[in-house]
Amino acid sequence: MTGPYGTGKSALAVFLAALADRDSKIRKVAREMLPSDSQGELVNSVFGDQGRKWKVIPVTGDRRGLFELINDGLKKAGFAKSGRPPNAADRVVKRVEEASDYFKRARPLIIVDELGKCLESSLLGGGDINHFQEIAELFARSSVRPVFIGILHQSFEYYSSRMSSEVRDEWKKVQGRFVDLSLKTTTDEVVGLAARAVTADYTSAQAKSNALSVYQTLRVQRPNLEPQIAEHLRSCWPLHPLSVLLISALSRKSFTQAQRSLFGFLSSNDPAGFRDFLKHTAFDEAISYDPSHVFDYVAANFDQALNSSTSEARRWAIIKEGLSRVESKFGDAHRDVFKTIAVIELLREPQALLASKEVLNILFGERLDIERMTKDLAALSVIVFRRYQSCWALYAGSDFDLEGSLKETQQGLSLTQRDLDGAIEMSPIVAKLHYSETGSLRWLSRSVAEVSSVLDESFSIELDGAIASFVLLISDSDEKLRALVDESSQLEMTSKYERVIFGAPKSEQARRIADWSVSESDRG
C-alpha cells in the first residue's frame, strides 16, 4: 500500500488485521464497519468465520534485512524456533509454512509497516532488493498461501530515484512482483475531511458567500459535483475555500516531504502554516487563510525541494524571479495577486480551478481593482492572459541577454592547453578493415591542441602504440591560427612530428570550439 502521510494506510492495515483476528469479538466489530453491498460481501467472504482462519503477523520495518524482519515477526507472534535466523528466501518461506502448521493451518497475514526503511537499507548495502522478488515469487507458490502487505509512502522506484538507470529499472522490475494499492484522497474527500477537522465558534457570512461562488465556479468544469461540497467548503473557515483545494493538490505533489497530507498541514507547526496563521492573526471576519498564505507556506517549507525538483524547478525559479520584480515595483496588493496566480499554477491539476477573472474576483473583487492590477503585472511581464483558457498564468518568457552575458563571461578569459585537456576528449580511429584482413590492430590517435603550446619546445605527442596521431589545432585568435597553419607542413617534416598529422578548422569553427572549451573549463 502506497500513499502520502495521513491517508489512512496504517488504519487500513489495522482494520484488515481486525478482520483476520483470531478473537471473534474483534472480528465482529470490524465486520460491522463493512458496507452492506457486494464489495462488503466480498471482503466478508475472505475474512468471514466460514472461511479459513488467519494468523496476523505484524512487523515494524527498520534498517534490517527483509528476512530478519519476517523471522522477528514470527517470534513476536508466538512461533519461536531455535537455531540461526534464515538467510535465504526458501528457508524464510519454509519457516512461515511451519508457523502456519503451528497455528493450526492458519493462513499467515504478514503486515510490514514502514517498509520504506527496509528499502533504504537495501540502498545503503544493509539488505538486498532481490530478497523482495524472491519472497514474492515463493509466497505465490507456497501451499499455505501467505499474504504479504507492505506499507510505503512512495513506490519502489521513488526510493531508487537517485541511483543509476540500471538500478532504477531493477527496482521497477521487483515492484512488478507486487500489487500496488495506491491510497490517495480525492479533492472532494479532502474537502469533507477538512470540514470535519476544522471547527469554529463563529459563522462567517463572507465564508458562505465565498464557498457558494467557488462551488459554482467548480461546477462549470464538473457538472456532477455534489451539492454538499458547498457546505463543506463553508465549514472550513477560516480556511478560504480556494486554499482547501490548493492544499488538496499540494498533498499529491512529489516535491513535498512524504507528500504532505491535509492532516499534516493542519496539525503541524510549520512556518506560515495554518496553526501559525491562527496564532499570529487577530480575529476578523474578512480575514482568512487565503491562497497567498498557501504560497508563503510552500515557499517557507518546500523551497529547497522545489529547487531540486526535475519537474518543478524551472517554474519555481520563474515564480521567485517574478515575485522579486513585483516587490521591487509595486506594493503588497500587487504582490498578493501575483502570489495567488503563481500558487494556483504551481499546484494546478486536471479539472482544477484556474486563475480566471472570476476566481480572482472571489478573492479580491470587493477590495481591489483586479482589472488594473493584472494589467500592471502583465506590463511587468510576470503574468500573461491565456485566451484559450480564459485565465491568467505565469509569463514563461525571458528578457535575459544570453549573448551579452556570454561575451561578458568570455572577456578576460584565454584558452590554454590545460583547458582543452579537461574539456575535450577524442576517441581513436581504428583501422577495422585492416584488422579484419590481417588480424593486426592499428589505430590513429586524435587530440586537440592550442596553437601556442605546439610551438613550445616542451610540447610532445605520446603515440602510446598508435601508428600515427591527428592533432586538431585551435586558438582564440584567428591570427595565431593562420600563422601556425602556414607552418604546420614544416612541422610535420621535423623528426619530432614525423608521425603526426596537423589539421585546422575554418576560423569560425575554431572560434566556436575555443569558446566552448573556455566555458567548460570555467564552469568546472
Side-chain angles (χ1 to χ4, degrees):
M1 291 188 290
T2 59
Y5 171 79
T7 51
K9 300 183 301 296
S10 297
L12 177 57
V14 170
F15 179 67
L16 291 175
L19 287 171
D21 200 276
R22 300 176 72 83
D23 189 326
S24 60
K25 293 182 180 179
I26 295 178
R27 292 199 306 273
K28 181 180 178 182
V29 172
R31 286 202 299 269
E32 288 176 352
M33 300 176 66
L34 291 171
S36 57
D37 55 14
S38 58
Q39 292 182 346
E41 294 175 2
L42 177 62
V43 174
N44 195 40
S45 66
V46 176
F47 294 101
D49 293 333
Q50 69 277 13
R52 184 176 174 181
K53 302 299 182 183
W54 292 81
K55 176 58 183 177
V56 180
I57 304 172
V59 179
T60 300
D62 54 35
R63 292 297 178 88
R64 292 177 294 172
L66 181 62
F67 297 163
E68 188 176 353
L69 284 175
I70 295 177
N71 186 67
D72 187 57
L74 292 173
K75 286 183 180 180
K76 292 180 178 179
F79 179 71
K81 189 174 181 179
S82 60
R84 297 176 60 185
N87 57 1
D90 56 345
R91 295 180 183 178
V92 174
V93 174
K94 183 179 180 181
R95 187 159 292 191
V96 171
E97 292 173 345
E98 291 172 351
S100 175
D101 292 335
Y102 178 81
F103 295 116
K104 300 179 181 180
R105 296 296 295 171
R107 187 176 180 184
L109 175 59
I110 301 173
I111 302 175
V112 184
D113 198 4
E114 299 292 344
L115 185 62
K117 293 181 179 179
C118 193
L119 292 175
E120 292 171 355
S121 175
S122 298
L123 282 175
L124 298 174
D128 190 341
I129 187 62
N130 291 315
H131 291 172
F132 286 84
Q133 179 174 337
E134 294 168 1
I135 287 294
E137 293 174 349
L138 293 175
F139 270 31
R141 295 198 295 265
S142 174
S143 58
V144 301
R145 298 174 62 202
V147 175
F148 180 94
I149 298 177
I151 300 175
L152 297 162
H153 288 302
Q154 300 280 6
S155 65
F156 278 45
E157 189 177 358
Y158 173 83
Y159 288 91
S160 63
S161 58
R162 296 186 179 181
M163 307 300 288
S164 65
S165 58
E166 292 80 4
V167 173
R168 293 198 301 270
D169 291 341
E170 180 69 19
W171 280 55
K172 190 185 300 184
K173 182 191 72 174
V174 173
Q175 183 179 355
R177 303 290 182 178
F178 296 86
V179 176
D180 186 9
L181 177 61
S182 180
L183 299 182
K184 290 187 177 182
T185 52
T186 65
T187 299
D188 295 356
E189 290 172 336
V190 170
V191 171
L193 289 171
R196 292 194 291 271
V198 179
T199 57
D201 298 331
Y202 180 82
T203 301
S204 170
Q206 183 65 42
K208 183 176 181 179
S209 174
N210 288 340
L212 183 60
S213 298
V214 171
Y215 171 74
Q216 292 172 342
T217 306
L218 279 173
R219 284 203 63 183
V220 175
Q221 295 176 301
R222 300 172 55 191
N224 297 327
L225 192 65
E226 296 292 336
Q228 64 264 28
I229 294 296
E231 178 59 26
H232 289 163
L233 289 171
R234 184 202 64 79
S235 302
C236 292
W237 187 88
L239 274 175
H240 193 281
L242 290 174
S243 296
V244 179
L245 301 178
L246 291 173
I247 293 299
S248 173
L250 179 65
S251 70
R252 289 183 285 274
K253 291 295 182 179
S254 59
F255 63 79
T256 59
Q257 182 182 5
Q259 291 190 314
R260 193 68 53 89
S261 69
L262 170 71
F263 289 108
F265 166 75
L266 294 176
S267 62
S268 72
N269 289 309
D270 292 337
F274 184 55
R275 294 185 68 175
D276 187 60
F277 168 81
L278 295 176
K279 184 178 179 180
H280 296 97
T281 306
F283 172 79
D284 189 330
E285 180 183 356
I287 298 178
S288 62
Y289 191 88
D290 61 35
S292 67
H293 292 94
V294 178
F295 179 94
D296 294 337
Y297 173 73
V298 172
N301 297 280
F302 305 113
D303 179 68
Q304 185 175 355
L306 281 163
N307 288 331
S308 59
S309 171
T310 55
S311 58
E312 304 291 352
R314 179 178 179 273
R315 191 183 315 187
W316 184 239
I318 292 174
I319 289 173
K320 291 199 295 184
E321 195 271 340
L323 179 61
S324 176
R325 294 171 63 186
V326 171
E327 289 178 333
S328 65
K329 181 76 174 180
F330 302 110
D332 293 347
H334 285 82
R335 179 201 61 194
D336 289 345
V337 173
F338 176 77
K339 284 182 177 181
T340 298
I341 296 172
V343 76
I344 289 176
E345 178 148 342
L346 180 67
L347 304 179
R348 186 179 61 190
E349 293 183 312
Q351 293 188 331
L353 284 178
L354 303 174
S356 63
K357 295 178 181 179
E358 294 76 16
V359 169
L360 294 179
N361 280 324
I362 293 173
L363 280 165
F364 307 107
E366 295 183 359
R367 55 190 177 93
L368 297 178
D369 185 354
I370 288 298
E371 189 73 23
R372 177 180 61 83
M373 290 192 169
T374 50
K375 285 183 178 180
D376 291 343
L377 294 175
L380 193 61
S381 296
V382 293
I383 63 171
V384 64
F385 188 74
R386 292 177 178 167
R387 297 187 183 278
Y388 69 97
Q389 289 182 314
S390 297
C391 71
W392 290 98
L394 295 173
Y395 179 73
S398 174
D399 54 5
F400 178 67
D401 186 4
L402 178 62
E403 197 68 29
S405 178
L406 181 62
K407 290 181 180 179
E408 181 180 350
T409 302
Q410 291 171 344
Q411 284 180 356
L413 295 176
S414 60
L415 182 66
T416 66
Q417 186 62 38
R418 186 175 180 179
D419 296 331
L420 294 174
D421 293 339
I424 301 178
E425 186 174 336
M426 303 182 72
S427 59
I429 299 176
V430 178
K432 297 180 181 178
L433 181 59
H434 178 78
Y435 177 73
S436 177
E437 293 177 347
T438 66
S440 298
L441 183 61
R442 300 286 187 269
W443 68 91
L444 176 75
S445 65
R446 296 187 295 172
S447 61
V448 180
E450 200 275 328
V451 293
S452 300
S453 62
V454 176
L455 297 175
D456 194 301
E457 292 183 0
S458 63
F459 182 81
S460 62
I461 301 293
E462 299 293 337
L463 295 179
D464 293 329
I467 58 172
S469 179
F470 172 75
V471 179
L472 178 66
L473 302 172
I474 66 170
S475 173
D476 53 3
S477 169
D478 293 341
E479 291 75 14
K480 288 193 294 184
L481 183 62
R482 282 194 293 267
L484 187 60
V485 168
D486 295 337
E487 298 180 27
S488 62
S489 58
Q490 298 178 2
L491 288 172
E492 293 171 2
M493 296 299 292
T494 63
S495 58
K496 184 179 180 179
Y497 299 123
E498 61 181 353
R499 295 168 63 185
V500 178
I501 305 169
F502 290 100
K506 295 179 180 180
S507 59
E508 179 62 24
Q509 293 173 326
R511 166 62 63 180
R512 291 180 181 178
I513 296 173
D515 287 348
W516 179 83
S517 303
V518 171
S519 299
E520 285 292 299
S521 175
D522 182 58
R523 185 173 64 178

